[in-house]
Each structure stands twice: as structure tokens, then as C-alpha cells.
Amino acid sequence: MIDREELLVELESLSEEKFRIFNEKIVHTSNYKIIGVRMPDLKAIAKKHRADYKKIFEMPYDSFEEIIIKGAALGFADVPLSEKAPYVIRYAGMIDNWAECDCFCSCIKVKKSEEDALRLLSDRLMKRKEEFVSRVGIVLMFSKFTDEPTVKKALDIYDALPYGAYYRDMAVAWGLSVYCVKYPELITGYLEHSPISIKVKLMAAQKIRDSRRGSDDHIARTDRCNPGNDQTIT
């Protein structure tokens, strides 16, 4: 079993000052320090200690890296989703930046028999008002499920979301670009007629262009779906 003092010693041994400075520029965590440990090393620590995910989850923390490890250990833990679910909800509420969200979503794995439960959990999180809690649900949904009924359900939820929170908006745009690869007609039609904000449509159109995975016709249609199609998202 690992304790926090041992964990901090290990993190400090893996820290890189140049990477810490780089990460501070792109992660934008508002509440926690950044030690400067690369993501593969953080995931390796989490995987090594995943059996102790509950203990790791309850440890005090004051760094970005510790939060990443909490989420990754939870995701990697070989236990039923029913056991993980309360921790997933709590973890979503701890997140304050895109990297914590996206790393966690990439780590969580469930059995085939648990997919419906994960879909329902993602749906529940998507609808939450908090920006990063909602983002966790959005990213979980589009990264784990691309069957047409689920995609249509996600689009219905997108229609009802509040817009204006950048990281939720960007997650929706990202989701639309992912769905567009498999369902180009559905997504281009959605972008042409959906009530979601022009800003999000611009973000989605740019992500679809940047992915280089859509046909020229569908890319052109996404560019025509709003009156601001000559703008660039930065």
C-alpha cells in the first residue's frame, strides 16, 4: 500500500522543470500546483496502485498530478462499475481542467455487461450544470459509445445544454467531430438545424476540418451551417 508521503517522493523524482512550465501554460488548473510529471508516468503509478484506488482517492492532495492519479487509479481498478460509480461522480466534481477530465475518461474501462450502466451514468453527468462535471459526461459518452441511438440521444442532450462555458462547449464540438466520422449526414444536418450556439457550431466545424476525416462535401456543409463561417476558433 502506498501512502501520500511515498507518492510525493515518487512524483518529485519524476518531475521535469521544463515540462512543469509547459504544463502550466496548457492545463490552466486554477486551484492546484503542477509538479511536472509526464502523463505516461502518472498512468503507470495509477495502474500499479489501482487495487488501492479507494485509499488513493481519499488521500489529501494539493497538486494536479495527484488528482490525475486518483482518477486514473479509479478508472483502471478491476472492480464492478456499480462500486466505482459513486467515486466517478465525486471525481467529476473535483476536476477543474480539461486534462483531468480527458485522462480519466481514457482510463475508465467497463465490461460489456456494464455498458448500459456507463451510458446512463454519462447521460446523468452530461446534464449537470457544472462545467467540468458535464464535460466528463460528454467525453465519456462520445469516447465509449458511437451506436446511432446513443448518438441521437447525445444530440438531444446537446440541444438542451447551457452554452457559454468554454470547456463544455469545446467538448460538445469535439463530440460532434467524432460522431461526424461515422454519421456525416446526421451531424451535418444537425449542425444546419440545431439550436446550439453559433460559437459551438464554429468550433465543431473547425474540428471536423482539422480532423481531415470528412468528405469535402460534408466539410463544406458544416462551413455553411452558420453565418460566421469565415471565423477561426483559437
Side-chain angles (χ1 to χ4, degrees):
M1 281 198 175
I2 192 170
D3 61 31
R4 188 181 182 221
E5 186 173 330
E6 292 171 340
L7 177 60
L8 291 175
V9 169
E10 186 169 9
L11 290 174
E12 288 296 341
S13 73
L14 294 167
S15 65
E16 301 174 36
E17 180 62 13
K18 287 185 178 179
F19 185 69
R20 182 189 67 78
I21 294 169
F22 169 77
N23 242 12
E24 284 182 341
K25 292 178 180 177
I26 66 168
V27 168
H28 305 302
T29 177
S30 58
N31 298 313
Y32 307 102
K33 68 181 181 183
I34 292 178
I35 298 172
V37 181
R38 295 182 182 272
M39 195 64 74
D41 291 325
L42 296 175
K43 288 185 176 182
I45 292 170
K47 189 168 288 188
K48 181 170 60 175
H49 298 290
R50 63 187 181 274
D52 295 323
Y53 81 94
K54 289 183 179 179
K55 179 179 179 181
I56 290 172
F57 196 92
E58 301 298 348
M59 283 181 185
Y61 60 95
D62 65 0
S63 70
F64 163 77
E65 284 82 359
E66 289 173 281
I67 299 175
I68 289 287
I69 289 171
K70 288 176 186 291
L74 170 60
F76 290 140
D78 187 19
V79 298
L81 180 62
S82 58
E83 183 178 318
K84 290 185 183 184
Y87 291 91
V88 172
I89 294 167
R90 287 175 60 192
Y91 185 72
M94 292 163 53
I95 290 172
D96 77 337
N97 62 77
W98 62 268
E100 292 162 357
C101 166
D102 300 357
C103 175
F104 170 69
C105 292
S106 73
C107 292
I108 192 165
K109 303 291 188 292
V110 298
K111 297 176 181 178
K112 186 75 174 176
S113 61
E114 297 176 318
E115 288 183 351
D116 285 345
L118 181 60
R119 191 181 286 107
L120 289 172
L121 179 59
S122 301
D123 182 307
R124 178 181 173 188
L125 293 172
M126 287 173 74
K127 295 172 180 175
R128 288 274 293 270
K129 64 180 181 180
E130 301 92 338
E131 179 179 10
F132 287 105
V133 176
S134 182
R135 182 183 171 101
V136 169
I138 293 166
V139 176
L140 275 177
M141 188 74 88
F142 74 67
S143 63
K144 306 300 182 185
F145 307 108
T146 56
D147 59 284
E148 190 168 357
T150 299
V151 172
K152 289 181 175 179
K153 174 67 173 178
L155 297 182
D156 287 341
I157 297 173
Y158 291 175
D159 282 346
L161 291 176
Y163 287 95
Y166 177 81
Y167 291 102
R168 173 169 35 216
D169 291 358
M170 185 54 80
V172 170
W174 183 13
L176 290 169
S177 72
V178 170
Y179 293 149
C180 193
V181 174
K182 192 170 182 180
Y183 305 105
E185 282 295 324
L186 175 63
I187 299 306
T188 50
Y190 176 80
L191 287 170
E192 288 169 341
H193 302 293
S194 169
I196 64 173
S197 74
I198 296 299
K199 183 79 169 179
V200 175
K201 290 183 179 183
L202 280 166
M203 289 176 169
Q206 183 164 312
K207 280 192 165 290
I208 291 167
R209 288 196 304 272
D210 292 347
S211 74
R212 302 179 183 275
R213 296 172 71 186
S215 70
D216 290 343
D217 177 62
H218 288 116
I219 290 172
R221 284 178 63 189
T222 63
D223 283 343
R224 292 195 300 268
C225 74
N226 63 76
N229 58 36
D230 59 337
Q231 301 178 46
T232 299
I233 303 298
T234 59

